[in-house]
Amino acid sequence: MTNIVSMTPKSLIIPIIFLTIIISCFDCFADNPYCHSVGASFSPKMCGISWEFYSKNESAFHQLFLGADLYGVIDGRYPPGYRIEYFLNYDFKTWRGRDGLKINFYAGPGAAAGLVRDVENGRGFFTGLCGDIGLSFGFRSYFKINVGFSGSLAYHVARRKGHNYSVNLYKNGILTVFYPVVGIRYVFK
C-alpha cells in the first residue's frame, strides 16, 4: 500500500482529478431542481456509487458513476482499479403499474475513463466511449432499482518494460458487456 506522504506529484494526478470531479458533481446535483437520486451499483466487473438527475421534461437522465474496477479482485489476483463513467440515458418506454410501480426502459451513450487492469496488458489508463441499457423499477417509496448492462469501447495505455508504453483496445470493456449491473438508489422528490 502506498503512503500518501511518500507519493510523488506525478502519482497524485489521478486522485486529484477524481476528487475534482466528485466536488463538481456535488455542486451540479445540488443546484438541479429536478428529480435526482443517489445510490450504489454492483456487478461482477465493478461496484461504486452513482448519481442520477432528470432533464426538465423527464425524458432523459444523466448518470455519473464513480467506483472500483473488479477485474481480478474477486479471485484475489489484483488490487481494484478506479473508474468513472458518465451516461446520458433516454427513457424509451414507461409502464405504470398498480401501487405506484413505474418501469422505465432506458439506454444511452456515455464516456468512461480510469486506471484499470486489462486482460493481457496489465494496469494502465483507459478512456473511451461507453453505452448503457436497462430497466428501472420505481416504487411509491423513495427507492428505485436499476438492472442493466454496460460496455466500453476504449483505448488502454499500459507501461511496458523500461519506459515503453503500449496502446491497445480495452478488451475488458467488450468482454464484460453481458455482466449485469444492479443498482439501488434513493430518490429525492
Side-chain angles (χ1 to χ4, degrees):
M1 196 76 172
T2 306
N3 185 346
I4 193 152
V5 176
S6 66
M7 293 177 76
T8 64
K10 188 177 180 182
S11 64
L12 288 172
I13 291 173
I14 297 293
I16 289 172
I17 290 172
F18 270 66
L19 199 58
T20 303
I21 291 170
I22 290 170
I23 291 169
S24 65
C25 288
F26 280 122
D27 184 48
C28 173
F29 287 103
D31 291 342
N32 186 10
Y34 305 105
C35 181
H36 57 281
S37 62
V38 177
S41 296
F42 306 95
S43 172
K45 63 181 173 180
M46 62 186 173
C47 67
I49 56 175
S50 63
W51 295 271
E52 292 180 355
F53 64 94
Y54 273 87
S55 61
K56 287 181 184 181
N57 61 6
E58 294 191 19
S59 64
F61 64 93
H62 305 268
Q63 179 181 7
L64 181 68
F65 172 81
L66 297 168
D69 186 82
L70 299 179
Y71 175 71
V73 173
I74 295 173
D75 58 5
R77 291 182 293 157
Y78 306 115
Y82 310 100
R83 65 188 305 135
I84 182 169
E85 296 177 339
Y86 166 80
F87 297 101
L88 176 57
N89 288 315
Y90 296 94
D91 287 334
F92 288 108
K93 181 71 176 166
T94 300
W95 297 276
R96 296 190 186 275
R98 288 185 271 167
D99 298 327
L101 177 66
K102 180 180 172 185
I103 302 172
N104 291 339
F105 170 68
Y106 65 88
L115 184 62
V116 298
R117 189 171 294 278
D118 199 12
V119 176
E120 302 163 355
N121 300 319
R123 190 176 175 104
F125 179 75
F126 90 101
T127 185
L129 301 174
C130 56
D132 194 22
I133 188 169
L135 292 172
S136 174
F137 300 89
F139 305 97
R140 183 179 290 167
S141 67
Y142 290 96
F143 290 95
K144 78 175 183 177
I145 296 172
N146 292 9
V147 178
F149 300 94
S150 66
S152 302
L153 185 58
Y155 286 104
H156 185 263
V157 180
R159 189 173 191 173
R160 296 287 181 214
K161 294 179 183 175
H163 295 290
N164 297 330
Y165 290 88
S166 67
V167 179
N168 297 296
L169 181 67
Y170 178 52
K171 294 177 184 71
N172 280 350
I174 298 168
L175 295 174
T176 60
V177 163
F178 295 109
Y179 289 11
V181 179
V182 177
I184 183 164
R185 298 182 187 356
Y186 180 80
V187 180
F188 298 93
K189 296 183 180 182

